[in-house]
Amino acid sequence: MPTFAVQYTYSEATVAGRDTYRPEHRAWLAELAEAGPMLCSGPYGDGSGALLLWRAESEAELKELLAADPFARENLVEEIRVVEWTPTIGERFGA
């Protein structure tokens, strides 16, 4: 199953909204991490965005899933970049 790196880019204008929806966003991510498609996620230290690693059958399937993220649903993500990624080292992420 393909692995995807997803980059969220945030703007200063959405800080308050992200603070409001962060518990719901993190609960959504935790549920998907437990179920398996989301491998790991976390914000950038400078607050400019986040990186999420996923497994999905296709980019289209992943984009449908990402649309359900409370941050995306509430238009709190400036840009979502999805790139198929081929891990080569690391037991957890490797093929």
Side-chain angles (χ1 to χ4, degrees):
M1 183 178 303
T3 302
F4 294 90
V6 176
Q7 181 176 326
Y8 280 8
T9 302
Y10 302 139
S11 72
E12 288 295 318
T14 63
V15 170
R18 284 184 281 122
D19 288 346
T20 298
Y21 286 95
R22 184 168 290 109
E24 186 180 351
H25 165 74
R26 288 195 174 161
W28 178 80
L29 289 170
E31 182 179 310
L32 291 167
E34 180 70 26
M38 207 271 303
L39 301 172
C40 62
S41 69
Y44 297 138
D46 66 1
S48 66
L51 180 66
L52 307 90
L53 297 179
W54 296 83
R55 285 221 171 106
E57 291 296 332
S58 68
E59 184 175 335
E61 176 187 286
L62 177 56
K63 285 183 175 181
E64 280 186 40
L65 189 61
L66 292 171
D69 181 348
F71 276 11
R73 184 190 69 224
E74 299 298 325
N75 296 311
L76 300 173
V77 182
E78 186 74 23
E79 180 182 1
I80 298 174
R81 182 173 185 242
V82 177
V83 179
E84 188 170 342
W85 177 60
T86 306
T88 56
I89 298 173
E91 193 172 309
R92 180 167 182 216
F93 302 114

